[in-house]
Each structure stands twice: as structure tokens, then as C-alpha cells.
Amino acid sequence: MPQFHDLDPLNIVWHGNYPRYFEHARTALLQDIGYDVPQMQASGYSWPVIELNIRYAKPIGYLQKIIVEATLVEWQNRLKVQYEIRDAASDEKLTQGHTVQVAVAIASGEMCFVSPAILFEKLGVPLP
């Protein structure tokens, strides 16, 4: 639910706050599969966001109840997470977007062109 400090002078959520809402949903998604930031670091990888896309359909207002969903749609060579923000009362779509993250080996700082085996293990899917 957007708070007063999330608003711009027009009393709608400032566009720069949407990535924070995405981040909360992505964190919950990654925690559900047991591969959030601490587990990523322990496995020897960081996963920086390299792309962010947002399509604003309708503004979000002060204290408007919203639902933010994150869905993992790609994982073989990168993490692509799709987001949708909907009004909790009407289920109307307000915003959609996606982020892309890549695996970077912490020890070498090198980007991986294929997602590491640990991700496939956490997802319960076979290696390609």
C-alpha cells in the first residue's frame, strides 16, 4: 500500500518508486525457491539487475491497496522476472514490467553466459 512519502506533487505514486515495489515481489519470489541474496552469495554468485522495463497503465494513489506479482519467466541464461501490479479491489492492471539479472561469479567478477547449476537445483528443473 503506497504511503505518503511514495507520492509526487500530483498525489500519485512517483514513477521512480515502482522498482522498489518490484524488488519486494522479486525478493518474495526468490525466498520461496530458497535462492535469495544470502543463498546467492553463499553459492558464489551475485545477480545484478542489468535491465528494467516498466509500462505504466494507470496511476496508483495514496493508500490504494495493490497486489504486486512476480513470475520467473526465464532462467536458462539469465533471470527474467515479469511483474504485474493490480488494484486489489477491482483486479484492474495498473502497471507491468520486467527485470533481467545475470549471474556473476563473485571470485572472478566474470559474467556467466549460462545460469549456474545451483539455480536449476533450486528451481527443481533439469540442467539444459
Side-chain angles (χ1 to χ4, degrees):
M1 184 171 0
Q3 301 298 306
F4 179 75
H5 61 265
D6 290 339
L7 307 180
D8 67 13
L10 299 174
N11 285 327
I12 58 174
V13 172
W14 176 62
H15 69 277
N17 281 317
Y18 286 73
R20 187 165 41 91
Y21 300 158
F22 287 1
E23 179 80 17
H24 289 294
R26 184 176 66 243
T27 297
L29 172 69
L30 294 172
Q31 287 173 342
D32 285 348
I33 65 168
Y35 197 55
D36 193 17
V37 174
Q39 295 83 19
M40 289 174 176
Q41 290 174 327
S43 72
Y45 298 96
S46 64
W47 289 81
V49 173
I50 63 165
E51 182 180 318
L52 168 65
N53 175 275
I54 304 173
R55 169 71 72 177
Y56 304 96
K58 294 206 171 187
I60 299 172
Y62 177 59
L63 297 181
Q64 182 176 0
K65 291 185 172 139
I66 58 173
I67 298 167
V68 185
E69 290 185 347
T71 306
L72 185 60
V73 295
E74 290 181 31
W75 57 83
Q76 292 84 359
N77 301 314
R78 62 190 190 161
L79 284 180
K80 183 174 182 183
V81 180
Q82 189 77 36
Y83 305 92
E84 190 170 281
I85 300 177
R86 296 186 321 275
D87 179 81
S90 70
D91 204 39
E92 180 178 25
K93 187 188 321 184
L94 305 172
T95 307
Q96 65 184 31
H98 71 264
T99 54
V100 174
Q101 296 170 253
V102 294
V104 174
I106 293 171
S108 67
E110 295 289 323
M111 184 176 82
C112 304
F113 292 101
V114 175
S115 293
I118 184 69
L119 177 62
F120 292 87
E121 179 185 319
K122 294 292 185 177
L123 292 172
V125 297
L127 287 166

